[in-house]
């Protein structure tokens, strides 16, 4: 059995986040010791590691909930899990494209500034007037 602090250290998940996951029903409410301390089993440790890894990959809490539910039925086809992962991959690719647009615009803005004073600074003018941006990046 593990205390909440042990669980936190072993998984890298902060104690308040573990409590949040309990409230959200992602981690089962733990047993309590005679001193009313939370006591977690290896199963909860593994579940929390699963959640942490899924969060690191950017999965939303509802997707994690669905994946946890699916993991409880190992005999079922994995098509739904594949769809959840494919949707997350699409979301990540969209974010990467957005970041590339931001990078391009920031490079352009930073390289256009030849001013010697803030009054002549292209960076300040471009941030003040979105029309000076080359592309839509927001």
């Amino acid at each position: 059995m593990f205390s909440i602090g042990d669980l936190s250290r072993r998984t890298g998940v902060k104690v308040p986040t573990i409590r949040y996951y309990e409230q959200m029903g992602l981690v089962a409410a733990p047993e309590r010791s005679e001193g009313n301390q939370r006591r977690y089993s290896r199963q909860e440790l593994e579940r929390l590691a699963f959640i942490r890894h899924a969060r690191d990959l950017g999965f939303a809490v509802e997707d994690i909930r669905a994946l946890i539910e699916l993991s409880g039925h190992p005999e079922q086809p994995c098509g739904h899990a594949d769809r959840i992962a494919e949707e997350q991959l699409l979301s990540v690719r969209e974010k990467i494209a957005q970041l590339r647009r931001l990078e391009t615009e920031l490079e352009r803005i930073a390289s256009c500034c030849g001013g010697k004073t803030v009054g002549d600074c292209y960076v300040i003018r471009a941030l003040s007037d979105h029309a000076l941006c080359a592309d839509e990046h927001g």
Side-chain angles (χ1 to χ4, degrees):
M1 300 298 283
F2 305 96
S3 71
I4 196 167
D6 292 336
L7 209 61
S8 176
R9 281 186 291 283
R10 288 173 180 257
T11 62
V13 177
K14 295 181 178 174
V15 169
T17 304
I18 295 171
R19 290 186 184 125
Y20 169 74
Y21 291 154
E22 284 176 25
Q23 291 171 350
M24 296 298 294
L26 295 177
V27 175
E31 296 178 18
R32 297 280 185 154
S33 68
E34 288 182 23
N36 203 31
Q37 185 182 41
R38 289 173 164 90
R39 305 301 295 166
Y40 297 88
S41 70
R42 174 148 304 278
Q43 183 177 359
E44 278 88 29
L45 174 71
E46 291 168 1
R47 167 74 56 88
L48 190 58
F50 178 98
I51 294 166
R52 169 71 192 265
H53 191 193
R55 292 297 290 154
D56 287 347
L57 291 170
F59 286 97
V61 170
E62 287 311 311
D63 289 334
I64 295 170
R65 185 184 314 282
L67 291 166
I68 288 170
E69 175 65 28
L70 290 168
S71 73
H73 303 283
E75 72 288 347
Q76 296 289 321
C78 65
H80 188 215
D82 292 342
R83 279 189 300 281
I84 292 170
E86 288 166 2
E87 289 171 8
Q88 179 58 18
L89 177 58
L90 179 61
S91 175
V92 166
R93 286 179 174 157
E94 289 170 356
K95 289 174 186 171
I96 290 170
Q98 170 68 15
L99 287 171
R100 286 189 176 131
R101 288 190 300 274
L102 291 174
E103 177 186 33
T104 299
E105 186 60 25
L106 286 168
E107 281 178 341
R108 191 188 70 75
I109 290 171
S111 67
C112 285
C113 191
K116 304 229 185 296
T117 65
V118 171
D120 295 329
C121 182
Y122 188 79
V123 172
I124 300 297
R125 286 196 331 257
L127 292 174
S128 299
D129 184 358
H130 194 40
L132 294 175
C133 292
D135 293 308
E136 187 59 40
H137 52 81

